[in-house]
């Protein structure tokens, strides 16, 4: 059982290093290390809240904790600038072969003009419960 847990831990660490955003961790169990890793991973505000729980006052303006020689606020700024939020990958597909469904897919692939030519009034077409114009705005760059 121990061997399986060790292998699982190694695999988790290996896959974690493949991620594009670095993840910071504390080298020891000290509160300062914990605050540094928290600041780098979740931001300075999260580190301030945790510090307050331990009776440590951290100011946004006065120097307080150094993390590997770097002020904790600077570390948070650098780390958060590296974290680029990923857009969720959305795939749109036709669930059935009904005319309305196919018109919604056409609107995504070719735009609203061909759909307007077929049905005239775009307000009469609903795609997944929303107006076709809103549907196209939301999912236009999705994988089809």
């Amino acid at each position: 059982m121990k061997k399986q847990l060790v292998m699982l831990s190694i695999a988790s660490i290996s896959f974690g290093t493949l991620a594009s955003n670095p993840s910071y961790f504390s080298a020891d169990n000290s509160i300062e290390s914990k605050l540094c890793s928290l600041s780098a991973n979740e931001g300075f505000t999260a580190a301030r809240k945790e510090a307050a729980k331990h009776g440590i006052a951290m100011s946004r303006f006065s120097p307080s904790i150094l993390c590997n020689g770097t002020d904790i606020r600077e570390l948070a700024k650098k780390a958060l600038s590296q974290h680029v939020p990923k857009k969720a990958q959305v795939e749109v597909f036709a669930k059935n072969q009904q005319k309305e469904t196919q018109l919604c897919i056409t609107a995504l692939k070719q735009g609203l003009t061909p759909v307007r030519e077929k049905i005239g009034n775009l307000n009469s077409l609903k795609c997944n419960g929303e107006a076709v114009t809103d549907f196209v705005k939301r999912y236009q760059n999705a994988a089809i």
Side-chain angles (χ1 to χ4, degrees), residues 13 22-28 33-34 36-38 40-41 68:
I13 292 169
S23 179
Y24 296 87
F25 60 93
S26 54
D28 57 19
S33 292
K34 183 177 181 181
C36 288
S37 63
L38 191 61
N41 291 325
N68 295 336

Side-chain angles (χ1 to χ4, degrees), residues 114-130:
V115 176
R116 188 177 289 120
E117 290 172 359
K118 288 184 181 178
I119 63 170
N121 184 6
L122 290 178
N123 293 331
S124 64
L125 180 61
K126 300 284 185 196
C127 301
N128 287 349
E130 63 184 330

Side-chain angles (χ1 to χ4, degrees), residues 56-116:
I56 300 171
M58 289 184 4
S59 169
R60 293 191 185 279
F61 307 107
S62 62
S64 54
I65 296 176
L66 293 179
C67 304
N68 295 336
T70 304
D71 186 80
I72 193 168
R73 293 179 305 275
E74 291 300 317
L75 179 67
K77 288 178 190 173
K78 287 179 188 175
L80 290 177
S81 69
Q82 292 175 355
H83 290 281
V84 178
K86 287 186 175 181
K87 290 182 93 177
Q89 295 291 326
V90 177
E91 184 174 346
V92 179
F93 58 93
K95 188 174 181 179
N96 55 43
Q97 296 298 318
Q98 291 181 354
K99 179 183 174 185
E100 292 83 7
T101 304
Q102 296 306 316
L103 287 172
C104 291
I105 296 295
T106 301
L108 286 176
K109 288 181 180 178
Q110 300 172 13
L112 294 171
T113 305
V115 176
R116 188 177 289 120

